[in-house]
Amino acid sequence: MSKDVLDELKKEFSWFTETLCPSGFEEDFSRRLKELCRYYADKMKETSYGDLIFTHEGEGKKKVLLTAHIDIPGAIVTSIDDNGFIRFTYIGGLDARALPNQRVSLYPSNKKIFGVVGIKSFHLVSEDETSRVTPMDELFVDVGASSREEVEKLGIKIGTPMTFCPAINFLQNNIVSGVGFDNRACCTVLYRLLKKVREQRRTEDIFFAFTSREELGMVGSELVANIVQPDYAFILDIAPTGDTPDLIDSRVPVKLGGGPTFLIKQGEDIIHIPLYRRVLEIAARHHIPTQSCSMEWEMTETHKIQGIKHGVPTLDICLPIRYAHSAVESVSLEDMLQIEKLLLALIEEI
Ligand SMILES: [Zn+2]
């Protein structure tokens, strides 16, 4: 893997993680993304929910849809007290364990306000509090204001969205840690594919969809699939790894750096097995490592796309991730590049 490729990927990934949005509040990011991508597409379509579909027009032989959701879990403000402390509730899969002691960004219109999720000073914690997860409704955000009026002057009110503060840190061995990597790491890969397909003048009709509201019932993917009516669909999303000391007995065989990952069983569902087998063959031919696992809880956009038309063979191509939905989500740049390589092969050979 050349240094130039890695440097380019790091730069693109940084762009994709500097503006975050919780589900339902995608408009600002969607606007920025439109400006970034439109140059590389023959056509662009957007839905009223902020989904963007960039089309590469080929020769009309087959339509391939690639999706990556742009939203992340977050919160909205539910109340502001007389002393300027802010209470909130979750949007999507926000994890209460990951919240205390974190820096957050609040997004009143066209602004970003920093805050912290406060915790009791160490000296004031009772013994039983040390081993307890603080429920979300006991947590609060401190923006440094001293009254409700001061908070309101900043534009923060009930319904203002909030996420962890954007962050990206480069660790050893091409591992990157930060916020919003589910699913902005995959959005970065989708963007790179859009550019590559244009450079390579591919002859397939390819639809690159950046979707909204995955955390809220996968609304965007359903809209997009109904518009595109594809022959095949590939969903770019994440798969949690089981390769850290706390998960050693978890029976999750997925490893960071182990390559594109397939969730064969997701909850009650089994993926499209003929497509899965075909993809494994193509990956093997291109010497791309792959991993497979079963998740009792995972639900991805596949569930919304596979049932349209007369049935669309659909497969998740997942990026391994550690610490999902926390402020230190970690992924491997090498895995991102392997997914890119696999998809470039699949578009042609499927
Ligand atoms: Zn996701």
Side-chain angles (χ1 to χ4, degrees):
M1 206 174 315
S2 85
K3 186 177 176 304
D4 285 353
V5 171
L6 282 172
D7 286 348
E8 181 189 56
L9 177 58
K10 285 179 184 175
K11 210 166 132 202
E12 291 162 334
F13 194 10
S14 300
W15 186 92
F16 271 88
T17 51
E18 71 191 19
T19 308
L20 299 176
C21 56
S23 310
F25 293 89
E26 291 91 349
E27 338 73 279
D28 286 349
F29 180 70
S30 176
R31 208 171 303 126
R32 294 189 66 204
L33 191 56
K34 190 162 57 179
E35 292 314 312
L36 181 74
C37 295
R38 64 191 320 161
Y39 170 75
Y40 301 104
D42 294 313
K43 275 191 195 151
M44 195 212 74
K45 199 173 183 63
E46 67 186 301
T47 73
S48 54
Y49 282 79
D51 308 278
L52 299 171
I53 307 168
F54 299 97
T55 307
H56 170 82
E57 290 184 330
E59 296 170 354
K61 285 185 209 145
K62 64 184 168 194
K63 291 205 262 182
V64 183
L65 170 64
L66 310 177
T67 76
H69 69 85
I70 60 175
D71 57 308
I72 68 166
I76 53 167
V77 172
T78 53
S79 69
I80 303 160
D81 75 14
D82 291 345
N83 297 317
F85 293 104
I86 298 164
R87 302 279 185 173
F88 57 89
T89 191
Y90 65 92
I91 300 176
L94 188 68
D95 189 339
R97 294 171 311 144
L99 279 166
N101 195 16
Q102 291 298 332
R103 297 180 305 137
V104 292
S105 296
L106 294 109
Y107 307 97
S109 50
N110 299 322
K111 272 197 289 186
K112 184 152 82 175
I113 307 290
F114 292 104
V116 293
V117 180
I119 53 166
K120 278 186 192 175
S121 295
F122 172 73
H123 320 76
L124 305 176
V125 177
S126 66
E127 209 174 312
D128 45 299
E129 280 175 318
T130 55
S131 57
R132 161 179 179 259
V133 175
T134 311
M136 206 172 295
D137 58 6
E138 290 180 24
L139 297 171
F140 58 87
V141 172
D142 181 353
V143 294
S146 54
S147 68
R148 177 187 292 123
E149 292 70 31
E150 205 180 323
V151 173
E152 286 172 350
K153 267 194 198 144
L154 295 168
I156 297 169
K157 52 192 179 202
I158 291 169
T160 295
M162 175 180 115
T163 65
F164 289 124
C165 266
I168 185 162
N169 295 290
F170 297 95
L171 311 184
Q172 303 304 306
N173 296 314
N174 294 321
I175 293 171
V176 191
S177 174
V179 174
F181 289 9
D182 171 9
N183 195 34
R184 296 295 177 80
C186 292
C187 292
T188 310
V189 175
L190 191 61
Y191 166 66
R192 288 173 59 83
L193 285 164
L194 173 70
K195 292 200 297 182
K196 287 257 154 70
V197 157
R198 190 160 187 92
E199 269 166 36
Q200 297 174 359
R201 299 176 184 276
R202 291 296 185 103
T203 55
E204 302 83 10
D205 291 336
I206 310 161
F207 299 81
F208 301 83
F210 294 92
T211 55
S212 69
R213 298 187 178 225
E214 191 268 349
E215 290 284 329
L216 304 176
M218 297 162 275
V219 174
S221 56
E222 194 168 14
L223 293 173
V224 159
N226 278 306
I227 292 168
V228 174
Q229 302 269 312
D231 298 312
Y232 295 95
F234 295 103
I235 314 304
L236 279 66
D237 210 329
I238 57 93
T241 66
D243 61 347
T244 46
D246 50 344
L247 286 166
I248 222 78
D249 299 320
S250 67
R251 297 193 224 159
V252 177
V254 180
K255 287 188 168 58
L256 211 62
T261 302
F262 304 100
L263 307 175
I264 301 170
K265 181 173 183 286
Q266 299 179 34
E268 298 298 311
D269 203 8
I270 296 286
I271 56 173
H272 192 281
I273 295 296
L275 182 60
Y276 167 61
R277 289 189 182 135
R278 180 101 186 92
V279 169
L280 287 185
E281 275 169 33
I282 294 170
R285 204 160 52 238
H286 289 266
H287 308 290
I288 298 168
T290 58
Q291 322 182 68
S292 299
C293 70
S294 156
M295 293 277 163
E296 291 313 312
W297 49 267
E298 179 86 13
M299 284 272 279
T300 67
E301 293 183 321
T302 292
H303 296 262
K304 294 290 181 182
I305 296 176
Q306 64 188 2
I308 70 150
K309 233 171 52 166
H310 304 296
V312 178
T314 303
L315 193 68
D316 303 283
I317 313 276
C318 293
L319 177 71
I321 192 166
R322 286 180 184 162
Y323 325 122
H325 291 199
S326 78
V328 292
E329 291 182 325
S330 298
V331 300
S332 152
L333 296 175
E334 290 168 28
D335 285 334
M336 290 168 73
L337 291 173
Q338 293 287 12
I339 289 180
E340 178 183 314
K341 187 175 165 191
L342 177 60
L343 278 160
L344 284 171
L346 290 180
I347 290 167
E348 188 177 340
E349 296 174 35
I350 205 70

